[in-house]
Amino acid sequence: VGFNADEAQNIVKECVDAVLGGEDYNQDNINQWTASIVEQSLAHLIKLGKAYKYIVTCAVVQRSAYGFHTASSCFWDTTSDGTCTVRWENRTMNCIVNVFAVAIVL
């Protein structure tokens, strides 16, 4: 069937909103926030019951005039594997979450 990026994006957006919604950037909370976003996203993706190995990365940075750039590249089977990126921001911080889904072939 292939990886459903829209479904994964919705899951991740909900997790990011639950963790960062209403918060202002605070360096002391970054480790907890990123761990929670990654753990919650993985837990919800696994609950879908699909035959994938998931890799989830998360970066939270203080919002500044300098911007924030990221890139990734994969070499895999594009018919079954997939990726999605969620960008989230508020007035004080930016968050980028990447999900990589690699099909488990039995």
Side-chain angles (χ1 to χ4, degrees), residues 3 8 22 25 49 57 70 92-94 99:
F3 176 67
Y25 181 84
T57 65
T70 183
T92 64
M93 63 184 143
N94 293 320
V99 176

Side-chain angles (χ1 to χ4, degrees), residues 13-28:
K13 283 179 188 176
E14 288 179 14
C15 293
V16 174
D17 282 336
V19 174
L20 298 180
E23 298 287 345
D24 285 330
Y25 181 84
N26 182 336
Q27 182 177 342
D28 296 334

Side-chain angles (χ1 to χ4, degrees), residues 36-53:
S36 293
I37 290 167
V38 168
E39 290 168 9
Q40 289 180 29
S41 296
L42 275 173
H44 285 87
L45 289 165
I46 290 167
K47 285 180 186 175
L48 296 175
K50 299 189 178 177
Y52 284 102
K53 294 180 186 177

